Amino acid sequence: MLNTSENNLVLVVDFGGQYNQLIARRVREAGIYSEIVPYYRALEEVKKRKPQAVIFTGGPSSTLEKDAPTIETEIFHLGIPILGICYGAQLMTLALGGEIEKPVKREYGKTSITYQSSALFDEIETNNICWMSHTDQIKTVPDGFQITAYTPDCPVAAMENSEQRMYAVQFHPEVEHTVDGYKIIRNFLYKGCHLSPDWSSDSFIEEKVAQIKKAVGDKKVICALSGGVDSSVAAVLVHKAVGEQLHCIFVDHGLLRKNEGDDVERIFRQQFNINLIRVNAEERFLAKLAGVSDPEKKRKIIGEEFIRVFEEEAAKLGSIDYLVQGTIYPDVIESGSGTNTAVIKSHHNVGGLPENMALKVLEPLRELFKDEVRQVGLQLGIEENLIYRHPFPGPGLGIRVLGEVTKERCDIVREADAIYREELDKAGLSRKIWQAFAALPDVRTVGVMGDERTYSYMIALRAITSTDGMTAEYYPIPYDVLDIISRRIVNEVKGVNRVVYDITSKPPATIEFE
């Protein structure tokens, strides 16, 4: 991970709360570097890494349950400032001798709260709104603690032992629904822990470039460049460190969005002067996909063929030592991984490299959340339209053309998608939406165009909001914008006579159609 010897470090102890990543992001937004560690490894990590503060997250369990997640009480006696949130607050209470109870009335959602004198609530309105989500609550605070906030139904909405620098809140300050919640987190960091901000994209770039230079030396590096945000930022960052030693292989499988291949080539060759090998393999991929309609078979074919192309091009470069991977911090959290580099024989982004190509992995973005990756990209001078591009799946249009994938059908969905995204840009909606795209269902519908009967394709539009793609809500695009999009697609894309808008959330649906 990042060398934090010259940086403040806050460890966020994960008890399974749905907002654990959001808490870590809020700390970083305050200019303090943070990482997430599982509760069962927390004491070990705290002793080893000596953080300046610790935050306990919420969680779905009850502290009153027999097998509920817990933590060694030793962590409370190391002299490190601790903030407990929701479940974390209750766990702190029990560990230090207080009591937890099942309340008569549970609290969920926006709740009126009254704050009392505390460094945590400095410069925040006394009568305020917070976000509650709990079935248990604190009945009796531990010795040395005082109550610092309450609600009509929760007598201990916050407590603290300022001398020991231990703070606890029953509500969730990390979510936007808690008014001035970000100030509460900053007050904990700045006034409770006396930390000063020292984490930024500028300092990250400087430190990471130095690390890459030291690790790589004069060795050769390759990158499987997709044109997406993560791989693009990783490539530019590594190029800043090693220059001509980096070779990027861009496999254009013909399943990209409109003009995307040309944009990638222009940006990386002309703007950054990176060694870029573009392989135009559309015919090769379409030939492999001919007659295949099963989604999983299509994914496997595209992934396997990608590897064959990548292998052929990499072999032409001779001896290679390092592979750049666009892994970001949410990937690390979900996989439970914790190493910085490793010798590999397969690679999930490219589907499995050949066994005789054992490479060391460079993962320069593995400490960053998506929003931080974007900030680093902007600092490196990458164009905004690439940095804020919506996520795009590896199989590309191969899973947005439902059923058999053909050149004609790819062109139809490519043109419809371009119109859709163009109108979202015009309406100022693109950055409010996490992902938007057009898909081509494997159906034709009857229509009337120019007084004649048509039997043409239907385009399905999808737009969702999300933070990590694990869950998602559809975005309510205004009807007038949808009307413009629908009219343009039907009028300008040959072979389409109907447009529908998918308003299903995830779950029960997935984001992609296949």
Side-chain angles (χ1 to χ4, degrees):
M1 303 300 280
L2 185 73
N3 178 8
T4 56
S5 60
E6 298 179 2
N7 300 93
N8 292 315
L9 170 64
V10 173
L11 290 182
V12 177
V13 179
D14 177 18
F15 290 97
Q18 60 180 318
Y19 303 128
N20 59 357
Q21 292 189 30
L22 183 55
I23 294 169
R25 285 169 56 198
R26 291 286 184 254
V27 174
R28 293 190 187 189
E29 287 168 7
I32 308 294
Y33 182 68
S34 65
E35 288 183 17
I36 298 172
V37 296
Y39 71 90
Y40 51 82
R41 234 179 40 229
L43 181 61
E44 172 191 346
E45 291 291 327
V46 167
K47 286 183 172 181
K48 180 173 68 175
R49 307 195 61 191
K50 297 180 173 54
Q52 279 67 47
V54 172
I55 298 178
F56 293 167
T57 74
S61 302
S62 166
T63 54
L64 300 177
E65 295 172 356
K66 182 180 179 182
D67 297 323
T70 187
I71 197 166
E72 297 90 337
T73 56
E74 183 182 350
I75 199 167
F76 298 101
H77 303 292
L78 298 176
I80 300 170
I82 299 176
L83 170 64
I85 296 175
C86 197
Y87 182 90
Q90 297 166 14
L91 192 65
M92 180 186 292
T93 300
L94 286 178
L96 296 175
E99 294 180 292
I100 301 297
E101 66 178 354
K102 293 280 185 187
V104 175
K105 187 175 181 180
R106 297 176 295 182
E107 291 180 309
Y108 291 99
K110 290 184 179 180
T111 305
S112 297
I113 190 169
T114 301
Y115 297 128
Q116 297 178 319
S117 178
S118 168
L120 226 56
F121 310 126
D122 194 31
E123 298 182 9
I124 296 176
E125 290 290 331
T126 300
N127 297 309
N128 223 309
I129 299 294
C130 70
W131 184 263
M132 285 285 194
S133 180
H134 65 98
T135 55
D136 300 341
Q137 66 184 28
I138 300 168
K139 178 182 179 181
T140 307
V141 302
D143 290 342
F145 280 75
Q146 63 181 28
I147 299 170
T148 54
Y150 60 89
T151 74
D153 297 303
C154 183
V156 188
M159 67 176 189
E160 69 178 48
N161 182 331
S162 57
E163 185 178 339
Q164 299 295 322
R165 295 187 296 174
M166 292 186 195
Y167 304 84
V169 295
Q170 181 61 70
F171 56 92
H172 290 273
E174 70 274 18
V175 302
E176 292 183 2
H177 308 296
T178 295
V179 176
D180 288 335
Y182 72 97
K183 283 187 179 180
I184 294 173
I185 292 175
R186 292 182 181 216
N187 281 342
F188 168 68
L189 298 170
Y190 299 160
K191 298 177 181 181
C193 307
H194 306 295
L195 303 180
S196 299
D198 62 358
W199 166 256
S200 68
S201 56
D202 284 340
S203 62
F204 172 83
I205 292 170
E206 182 179 348
E207 187 169 352
K208 188 56 63 175
V209 165
Q211 285 182 5
I212 295 169
K213 283 182 178 178
K214 182 177 180 180
V216 172
D218 60 355
K219 301 294 192 297
K220 191 178 290 186
V221 185
I222 60 170
C223 174
L225 184 66
S226 69
V229 176
D230 301 337
S231 71
S232 296
V233 175
V236 173
L237 184 58
V238 172
H239 180 259
K240 185 177 178 68
V242 302
E244 293 293 310
Q245 294 164 239
L246 173 67
H247 297 262
C248 291
I249 299 174
F250 171 47
V251 179
D252 185 347
H253 47 29
L255 305 172
L256 299 173
R257 291 170 284 201
K258 188 175 181 179
N259 299 327
E260 198 158 45
D262 293 340
D263 285 344
V264 169
E265 186 171 11
R266 174 182 56 80
I267 291 170
F268 290 92
R269 276 203 179 132
Q270 296 179 17
Q271 183 179 353
F272 292 102
N273 196 30
I274 289 176
N275 292 322
L276 177 68
I277 301 167
R278 178 178 179 178
V279 186
N280 295 310
E282 180 182 51
E283 291 184 6
R284 178 170 174 172
F285 277 82
L286 290 177
K288 291 284 185 180
L289 290 167
V292 179
S293 58
D294 179 79
E296 286 307 306
K297 287 183 179 178
K298 289 194 292 185
R299 287 178 182 273
K300 288 180 181 178
I301 289 170
I302 294 167
E304 288 173 5
E305 197 60 22
F306 182 96
I307 297 309
R308 302 288 78 79
V309 177
F310 185 86
E311 178 183 12
E312 291 166 12
E313 295 301 323
K316 298 174 184 177
L317 295 173
S319 177
I320 301 164
D321 297 278
Y322 286 91
L323 171 71
V324 178
Q325 178 176 336
T327 306
I328 64 175
Y329 195 43
D331 302 328
V332 176
I333 297 168
E334 289 164 14
S335 68
S337 176
T339 57
N340 194 29
T341 61
V343 176
I344 65 163
K345 293 184 180 178
S346 64
H347 180 250
H348 74 273
N349 280 355
V350 293
L353 292 175
E355 292 202 4
N356 62 353
M357 188 186 280
L359 302 172
K360 290 183 180 179
V361 176
L362 284 177
E363 298 176 314
L365 308 178
R366 66 181 285 116
E367 293 93 9
L368 303 184
F369 288 105
K370 193 75 166 188
D371 52 343
E372 294 173 320
V373 173
R374 290 193 169 104
Q375 286 302 311
V376 167
L378 293 174
Q379 288 294 118
L380 290 169
I382 302 175
E383 295 179 4
E384 282 196 19
N385 66 339
L386 190 156
I387 288 300
Y388 289 103
R389 183 177 288 165
H390 289 177
F392 191 62
L397 301 184
I399 58 171
R400 291 183 179 175
V401 170
L402 282 63
E404 184 180 8
V405 181
T406 66
K407 176 74 162 63
E408 175 200 12
R409 301 181 83 198
C410 284
D411 287 342
I412 287 173
V413 74
R414 202 170 356 244
E415 291 299 322
D417 182 76
I419 291 169
Y420 181 30
R421 290 184 292 113
E422 181 183 330
E423 291 300 330
L424 291 178
D425 280 342
K426 287 181 181 178
L429 299 176
S430 291
R431 295 204 189 169
K432 298 178 181 179
I433 295 170
W434 193 74
Q435 188 172 9
F437 61 90
L440 188 71
D442 192 17
V443 297
R444 294 185 185 231
T445 69
V446 173
V448 177
M449 299 179 76
D451 295 326
E452 293 185 3
R453 179 185 182 277
T454 61
Y455 188 58
S456 303
Y457 287 110
M458 175 177 71
I459 286 290
L461 304 179
R462 188 89 159 114
I464 57 99
T465 57
S466 181
T467 56
D468 55 12
M470 302 301 291
T471 60
E473 298 288 335
Y474 80 89
Y475 184 84
I477 298 176
Y479 288 130
D480 58 336
V481 178
L482 285 172
D483 181 58
I484 293 170
I485 294 166
S486 175
R487 289 174 185 274
R488 280 198 61 193
I489 290 174
V490 170
N491 288 332
E492 298 176 32
V493 183
K494 187 177 180 180
V496 175
N497 67 359
R498 190 181 300 267
V499 177
V500 297
Y501 185 51
D502 181 357
I503 61 168
T504 320
S505 298
K506 176 188 179 182
T510 55
I511 295 173
E512 297 287 344
F513 286 80
E514 287 191 341

